[in-house]
Amino acid sequence: MENGQIIGTPKEIVKGEARVAMTPDSALQLQKLGYQCAIQSGAGVMAGFSDEAYEKAGVEVIKTAKGLWEKADIIAKVRQPETRELKYLVKGKTLISFFNPAGNEEGMTAAKEAGANVIAMEMVPRISRAQKMDALSSMANIAGYRAVIEAGNNFGRFFTGQITAAGKVPPAKVMVVGAGVAGLAAIGASVSLGAITYAFDVRPEVAEQVESMGAEFVYLDFEEEQQDGAATGGYASVSSPEFREAQLAKFRELAPEVDIVITTALIPNREAPKLWLADMVAAMKTGSVIVDLAAERGGNVEGTVMDEKVVTENGVTIIGYTDFPSRMAAQSSTLYSTNIRHMMTDLTPEKDGQVNHNMEDDVIRGATVTFEGEVTFPPPPPKVKAIAAQKKPEVKQLTPEEKRAKEIADFKDATKKQVIMLGVGGLLMLLVGAYAPASFMNHFIVFVLSCFVGFQVIWNVSHALHTPLMAVTNAISGIVILGAVLQIGSSSSLVVIMATISVLIASINIVGGFLVTRRMLAMFEKS
């Protein structure tokens, strides 16, 4: 352990930033990888983590930022480093943080000249293996949830509808524009609070996700070939002018009805598209609330002011805060530090406390923006594409003649297999009959035929009233009941008792099968 490199986390210097890149729990996990941990005094206080908590976790607390930057081999932080922090970068040091490489020329130049290695957490490729390191999604998830809480804090009614002795309260109507990670989190929070929730996204493939969460997807009466967002890192593509007009017309139609609007449409290093225009804001009811999660890039709403809350002339509140994750600092820090810890796990395959910066690894290469004095941004496309972006094999459409030919060929194959099985079965019967007594053969033939008939009956039971599994188990229980009923008239009291017990147990199985199926189906019903 003593020979392991030191991971240090400084205090964030951006005004109002409460998150921290290392928590006491994540420090314990990093130490299991062989690293020593250090933190600047007070770095975790705003997130609810005291210096004493870090010391108990075996983390060295260093008083000054300069002392920490100089001592640590690896720096893990949240925000893009400021100018005075860039001066601490030296050859061989590794920095892991949000870095905004496409819009941070100063930082890229400083890292290159210093020879420092920089891993930008927002550049983690969105492939399945890297989901545990996807800090953008972690923070967007919190922002979406917090947006609903912030909207509720400024909304004058309940989200859920209520009927009380004092009167009836209608449910709130919430519109979520953009169904990415933040949008889905907002939808989940809104639905769970009882609001009638609508959602819109230019990517048609997200409609099923939205509806599965209990919200209503807003469709446009417009046909346009949309780019699959999964192929572009999960972001929506730019739409045609005609599609945009159809989209705005739909929003104008919905504006007078909805009480809360949450907009999430934002692509890094691009101006946010204007989706909710001034006339739509003017059409909303007094007391309505808009939360604009794209405020840092100009906002999706006309009238949004970055980091401020404004109230329009018609009484609509527009919230343009950009620090939603920081407003839930403890939760945000826990998730972000876990993303960092997973990144360090990939960087330390030997668990020996030494960074192995493997540029052949898709995830590490994709997130690295400077390495050994060279700028490596932008990265090449990952060798393994995101699952959602992988093109499904095209199914060839068969002509009627080809379909008929295929059906005949399949029938011939099935017939051939049945003939072979019957032939093998016949030979086995002849072999057994040559040596077994006649009384045994009578019983054996009945047994074989019953197995065959039972198999055909069980596997041809319709699944209409069951899940496929319950259909099979209930069919088996049904055959058991049939056989037991036939034996109840036996002259042997023991056979009658066993048959009665069989009917009872099989009946319990059938009733239980229906109950379990009913509960499983209820899970997919809208409340």
Side-chain angles (χ1 to χ4, degrees), residues 1-9 22 30 34-39 58-60 62 67-76 92-94 344 352-355:
M1 290 287 184
E2 291 301 322
N3 295 325
Q5 291 182 307
I6 299 173
I7 299 178
T9 295
M22 182 191 296
L30 290 170
Y35 291 103
Q36 301 176 62
C37 297
I39 195 162
V59 180
E60 181 184 359
I62 298 175
L68 182 123
W69 278 85
E70 290 178 348
K71 184 168 185 178
D73 304 294
I74 305 147
I75 295 292
K93 193 179 290 290
T94 300
M344 293 308 303
D352 57 355
Q354 302 295 322
V355 168

Side-chain angles (χ1 to χ4, degrees), residues 142-403:
I142 291 173
Y145 173 83
R146 181 69 190 196
V148 175
I149 302 303
E150 208 67 42
N153 187 45
N154 288 273
F155 186 56
R157 296 205 321 265
F158 299 126
F159 269 65
T160 186
Q162 292 191 9
I163 299 177
T164 69
K168 181 180 178 181
V169 180
K173 292 185 178 180
V174 178
M175 175 71 180
V176 179
V177 181
V181 176
L184 291 174
I187 291 167
S190 175
V191 170
S192 66
L193 287 172
I196 298 173
T197 307
Y198 304 96
F200 173 81
D201 197 288
V202 298
R203 298 165 297 170
E205 68 268 18
V206 303
E208 188 175 339
Q209 299 176 49
V210 167
E211 291 169 352
S212 71
M213 297 179 74
E216 179 181 336
F217 190 79
V218 176
Y219 291 94
L220 297 184
D221 186 17
F222 184 90
E223 291 186 7
E224 176 176 280
E225 188 68 27
Q226 291 294 319
Q227 181 182 352
D228 188 345
T232 55
Y235 298 107
S237 59
V238 177
S239 305
S240 68
E242 294 79 12
F243 183 88
R244 175 173 168 77
E245 287 305 314
Q247 174 182 312
L248 295 178
K250 190 66 176 180
F251 291 166
R252 287 189 178 95
E253 178 186 328
L254 292 171
E257 299 179 22
V258 295
D259 303 297
I260 295 170
V261 176
I262 298 172
T263 63
T264 68
L266 179 64
I267 299 176
N269 294 302
R270 291 190 194 174
E271 286 299 309
K274 294 296 180 186
L275 302 176
W276 207 263
L277 307 183
D279 63 304
M280 302 173 196
V281 177
M284 295 179 72
K285 293 171 285 191
T286 299
S288 299
V289 179
I290 301 173
V291 182
D292 192 344
L293 291 180
E296 64 181 286
R297 302 297 300 180
N300 299 136
V301 182
E302 286 188 344
T304 296
V305 179
M306 182 175 171
D307 291 322
E308 291 186 19
K309 178 174 72 175
V310 298
V311 180
T312 63
E313 291 181 0
N314 62 319
V316 176
T317 301
I318 304 176
I319 298 172
Y321 301 150
T322 60
D323 62 345
F324 287 112
S326 189
R327 287 170 181 256
M328 299 180 68
Q331 184 68 75
S332 299
S333 299
T334 299
L335 294 181
Y336 182 71
S337 64
T338 301
N339 296 142
I340 294 284
R341 191 253 299 174
H342 283 304
M343 176 62 75
M344 293 308 303
T345 300
D346 270 29
L347 286 167
T348 322
E350 302 298 326
K351 297 183 180 181
D352 57 355
Q354 302 295 322
V355 168
N356 178 13
H357 205 120
N358 180 14
M359 293 293 277
E360 297 300 317
D361 184 287
D362 265 353
V363 177
I364 296 172
R365 174 64 187 89
T368 302
V369 295
T370 63
F371 181 67
E372 295 182 349
E374 296 294 330
V375 173
T376 60
F377 175 84
K383 302 182 189 76
V384 180
K385 292 184 178 180
I387 291 176
Q390 294 176 2
K391 291 186 177 179
K392 297 179 181 178
E394 294 184 2
V395 179
K396 182 183 178 183
Q397 296 296 323
L398 302 178
T399 63
E401 293 77 13
E402 290 173 331
K403 286 182 180 178

Side-chain angles (χ1 to χ4, degrees), residues 33-208:
L33 294 174
Y35 291 103
Q36 301 176 62
C37 297
I39 195 162
Q40 184 183 347
S41 179
V45 171
M46 294 180 71
F49 306 111
S50 65
D51 289 351
E52 291 75 16
Y54 284 105
E55 288 174 341
K56 287 180 181 178
V59 180
E60 181 184 359
V61 177
I62 298 175
K63 289 185 178 181
T64 65
K66 181 181 179 181
L68 182 123
W69 278 85
E70 290 178 348
K71 184 168 185 178
D73 304 294
I74 305 147
I75 295 292
K77 66 188 306 293
V78 180
R79 289 278 195 158
Q80 174 183 324
E82 299 283 309
T83 302
R84 68 173 183 263
E85 292 177 306
L86 293 172
K87 295 176 181 178
Y88 295 127
L89 292 177
V90 295
K91 185 177 177 62
K93 193 179 290 290
T94 300
L95 170 66
I96 305 176
S97 74
F98 285 115
F99 200 75
N100 186 27
N104 183 15
E105 185 177 346
E106 179 191 9
M108 295 288 280
T109 301
K112 176 184 177 181
E113 292 177 352
N117 303 331
V118 175
I119 293 176
M121 290 302 290
E122 67 265 58
M123 291 302 299
V124 171
R126 286 186 163 177
I127 59 177
S128 297
R129 183 169 68 85
Q131 287 181 352
K132 59 190 176 182
M133 309 170 216
D134 190 352
L136 273 180
S137 292
S138 296
M139 298 301 103
N141 181 32
I142 291 173
Y145 173 83
R146 181 69 190 196
V148 175
I149 302 303
E150 208 67 42
N153 187 45
N154 288 273
F155 186 56
R157 296 205 321 265
F158 299 126
F159 269 65
T160 186
Q162 292 191 9
I163 299 177
T164 69
K168 181 180 178 181
V169 180
K173 292 185 178 180
V174 178
M175 175 71 180
V176 179
V177 181
V181 176
L184 291 174
I187 291 167
S190 175
V191 170
S192 66
L193 287 172
I196 298 173
T197 307
Y198 304 96
F200 173 81
D201 197 288
V202 298
R203 298 165 297 170
E205 68 268 18
V206 303
E208 188 175 339

